[in-house]
Amino acid sequence: MLPDIGVFGPYTYLVTEVVFGSAALALLAYTGSLKRAARTVLALYPIAYVWDWYTLRVGVFEIQLRTGVDLLGIPIEEHIFMIVVPALVVGIHELVNGVATTEEATVSDGQRTDRAD
């Protein structure tokens, strides 16, 4: 049986985001992937926002244990979620695939290092 984290009341969702966000930040710092994660978050955020806004409006889901603070039409927790999830995915991806050297990171970012100038 899972522990009842509902004891945090309206801050329950926020608490889980802080926990998982801290894990994501630690992974990104360890793997040196903060910039890569930031680019991924920036690319995905607009899509995630529209998707979230729409699904909340049509009643796909309702968030019970949240602060009640909305920003741009969706709960503040959802904005944080849209940052934490891709950051955690990038952090785990970088950890699983090994910490890239500077040369490997440059090549994986689409820049050739063997060019003759």
Side-chain angles (χ1 to χ4, degrees):
M1 184 163 165
L2 296 174
D4 179 15
I5 62 168
V7 297
F8 295 109
Y11 298 99
T12 300
Y13 191 11
L14 194 59
V15 167
T16 62
E17 290 175 325
V18 168
V19 170
F20 285 98
S22 297
L25 186 59
L27 282 171
L28 294 172
Y30 176 74
T31 60
S33 305
L34 285 166
K35 282 184 181 180
R36 296 179 85 189
R39 285 194 306 264
T40 301
V41 167
L42 287 173
L44 292 174
Y45 190 87
I47 298 163
Y49 171 80
V50 170
W51 184 355
D52 209 69
W53 177 86
Y54 176 75
T55 55
L56 283 166
R57 290 297 166 264
V58 298
V60 171
F61 66 96
E62 185 177 328
I63 305 163
Q64 297 295 322
L65 300 174
R66 67 182 196 93
T67 61
V69 176
D70 287 358
L71 177 66
L72 301 173
I74 64 174
I76 192 75
E77 293 89 348
E78 287 297 291
H79 290 279
I80 298 167
F81 182 83
M82 292 183 281
I83 295 168
V84 169
V85 170
L88 189 56
V89 169
V90 171
I92 291 170
H93 177 270
E94 295 297 313
L95 184 67
V96 168
N97 289 297
V99 179
T101 65
T102 303
E103 183 176 323
E104 289 170 336
T106 302
V107 171
S108 71
D109 284 344
Q111 300 172 4
R112 293 188 59 182
T113 58
D114 59 348
R115 242 182 13 196
D117 290 322

